[in-house]
Structures are given as structure tokens and as C-alpha cells.
Amino acid sequence: MLLSILLDAVNYVPGLAAIAAAIAVIGAAIGIGRIGQSAMEAMARQPEAAGRIQSGMIIAGALVEGATLFAIVVCVLAVLG
């Protein structure tokens, strides 16, 4: 009985992996949007610090994108493995 339930659950892995990848991408988009929003607000308050703020924004955005890429790779490996 338990074995048949586990074998049936294997059929859902590709769909669940696709949903997980979509959630990861949506979360990254929201995160990068908030990073950009905060950076623009900070640059509006202190224009003289715009260069430092922009550098920090780019680094934070790259870290978010890197984590998203890892999440998508894990989802693809779940489908293939």
C-alpha cells in the first residue's frame, strides 16, 4: 500500500518541480524589484552617494539571481533524477 502511494507520488514530481521553479523566479523578481526600489529611494535622498548605492544594488541583485539559478537547477535535477 505504502509503495503504491510512493510510486504514484513520483508521477507528480515534474509538475511540482515546475511550480517550485516558477515560485523561485517570482520571488526573485519581487526581491530584485524591491532592491531597485530601495536603491532609487536612497539615491533620491542622497544623490552624492549614488555610485556606492548603485554598486551595492548590483551586488545584491546578482546574489538574488544566483540563488534563483541554484533553485531552478535543483528543480531541473528533480525532474531528471
Side-chain angles (χ1 to χ4, degrees), residues 7-27:
L7 290 176
D8 288 338
V10 171
N11 296 330
Y12 296 113
V13 169
L16 293 175
I19 291 170
I23 290 171
V25 169
I26 291 170

Side-chain angles (χ1 to χ4, degrees), residues 3-41:
L3 183 61
S4 67
I5 292 171
L6 289 174
L7 290 176
D8 288 338
V10 171
N11 296 330
Y12 296 113
V13 169
L16 293 175
I19 291 170
I23 290 171
V25 169
I26 291 170
I30 292 170
I32 291 173
R34 287 194 169 187
I35 290 169
Q37 175 188 5
S38 298
M40 290 296 145
E41 290 174 358

Side-chain angles (χ1 to χ4, degrees), residues 42-78:
M43 283 188 251
R45 286 191 206 117
Q46 292 183 332
E48 66 277 359
R52 290 189 2 219
I53 294 169
Q54 188 176 11
S55 298
M57 176 186 68
I58 290 171
I59 291 170
L63 291 173
V64 170
E65 285 188 25
T68 304
L69 180 63
F70 284 132
I72 292 172
V73 167
V74 168
C75 292
V76 168
L77 289 176

